[in-house]
Amino acid sequence: MKDYRIKSIFRGLAIIAFGVCCLIGNSDKFADMPLFRIGVSLLLLVVLIETIIERNIISIFCVLGCGACVYQNELGLKDVNFLLIIGSFLLIGIGLNLIIGKKPKITVVNNGHKASVEGVGNAEYWEEDGNFSVDNNLGQRTQYVKIQNLKKGDIDNALGSLTVYLTGSTVDADGAVLDIDNGMGSLTVYFPKDFRVRFNCDNGMGKINMHGECNQDETQPLVIANVDNGMGQIDFYFE
C-alpha cells in the first residue's frame, strides 16, 4: 500500500469519526461513550502530527477546528454551530498561510538529475528510460508526459486536482503498464487516440468517466491501465 493511500485511510477514518461525533454530540448517550471520544481524539492527533510534519498550516487549523468541535462544551462553544467553528479555524489558517506560509517545492527528477521548482501543493514527478511517476497530494497540478517507448507509469492523486497529458508519448513494442490511483481528488488523464488501452478498474464510492474510444487495432502494443479510485472522480479522454 502506497504512503499516500495510508495517509488517506487515516484521514478518512478521522473524518468519519468526526462526522459521527457531530451527529450524536448533543445526545445524552455521548456522555456514556468516553472511549468514542478518546478514539476520535487519537485519530485527530495522528492527522495533526502528520500535517505538522508536512508544515501545512491550513490543514493544521482544519484539524484543530475539528478538535474544537469535539470538545465544544469544554471550550465554552456549546451553542456555536460546528460549521462556524471549522470555518473560523480555516480562515485563521488561510490568513497565517498568506502571512508566513511558503510555497512547497516540487521535486523533478529527469534522467537521474534532480531539480526543485516552486509549486502549489505537494507534488513530485520523474521520468527515465520509458518510466515515469506523477504524485500529487493537496495541490492543483498539470503534468505533460512526453516519453518515447513508454513501459511503466505511475499516476497518484490524493486530495488535489491533477491533470496528466500523455499526448506525444509512444508505447514500447512490448506494451506498457499504468498504475493509476485517485483518493478523494479529481484526476484527468488524456491519452493519444492511437493508444490501445485495457482498463482494470476498482472503483469505491467515486466516479470514473470515459470520453472517446481507444484504438482497437490488436496489432498495436497494449497499455494495461490498473485504476484504483476511492471517493474522487477520474476522467479519461482519448484525443
Side-chain angles (χ1 to χ4, degrees):
M1 184 176 294
K2 298 183 178 180
D3 290 342
Y4 96 84
R5 182 65 71 185
I6 296 174
K7 293 179 181 179
S8 296
I9 290 174
F10 274 106
R11 289 170 179 166
L13 289 174
I15 293 172
I16 292 172
F18 172 67
V20 175
C21 177
C22 290
L23 287 175
I24 67 174
N26 295 322
S27 172
D28 293 337
K29 295 181 179 179
F30 189 77
D32 300 328
M33 299 173 62
L35 291 179
F36 180 79
R37 295 189 73 184
I38 293 174
V40 173
S41 301
L42 289 175
L43 286 173
L44 289 176
L45 179 61
V46 170
V47 179
L48 179 61
I49 293 174
E50 176 192 333
T51 55
I52 291 175
I53 292 174
E54 293 179 352
R55 298 180 181 179
N56 191 318
I57 297 175
I58 297 176
S59 296
I60 290 173
F61 277 86
C62 180
V63 176
L64 290 176
C66 293
C69 291
V70 175
Y71 294 96
Q72 279 182 271
N73 294 341
E74 290 81 355
L75 295 174
L77 302 173
K78 181 179 180 180
D79 298 326
V80 182
N81 187 283
F82 71 91
L83 291 178
L84 179 59
I85 295 175
I86 295 178
S88 299
F89 273 85
L90 280 176
L91 288 175
I92 294 172
I94 292 171
L96 288 175
N97 188 62
L98 290 174
I99 296 172
I100 64 175
K102 294 182 179 179
K103 291 183 178 180
K105 297 289 186 178
I106 295 176
T107 302
V108 179
V109 183
N110 191 349
N111 294 325
H113 301 287
K114 289 187 177 181
S116 295
V117 297
E118 295 286 350
V120 178
N122 185 7
E124 183 174 302
Y125 174 75
W126 66 262
E127 66 176 60
E128 186 174 12
D129 298 331
N131 300 279
F132 79 92
S133 176
V134 183
D135 188 359
N136 183 61
N137 288 330
L138 296 173
Q140 182 175 354
R141 179 173 175 78
T142 299
Q143 180 66 54
Y144 293 88
V145 179
K146 201 169 185 179
I147 297 179
Q148 302 302 310
N149 300 320
L150 173 64
K151 300 174 184 177
K152 181 75 170 62
D154 290 296
I155 300 174
D156 295 334
N157 184 53
L159 299 174
S161 176
L162 174 63
T163 301
V164 178
Y165 289 88
L166 294 172
T167 49
S169 297
T170 62
V171 182
D172 187 79
D174 294 328
V177 176
L178 294 178
D179 290 326
I180 302 172
D181 293 295
N182 185 52
M184 299 173 65
S186 174
L187 174 62
T188 304
V189 181
Y190 288 87
F191 290 97
K193 62 182 180 180
D194 57 348
F195 268 30
R196 185 166 72 98
V197 184
R198 185 179 74 198
F199 290 93
N200 300 319
C201 297
D202 182 5
N203 187 42
M205 299 176 64
K207 189 175 183 181
I208 299 176
N209 302 311
M210 298 286 181
H211 307 272
E213 295 183 357
C214 66
N215 189 349
Q216 302 296 326
D217 185 358
E218 295 187 358
T219 63
Q220 297 299 314
L222 178 64
V223 177
I224 299 176
N226 300 313
V227 183
D228 184 2
N229 186 44
M231 299 176 65
Q233 176 171 315
I234 303 178
D235 288 278
F236 294 114
Y237 290 86
F238 289 90
E239 59 178 33

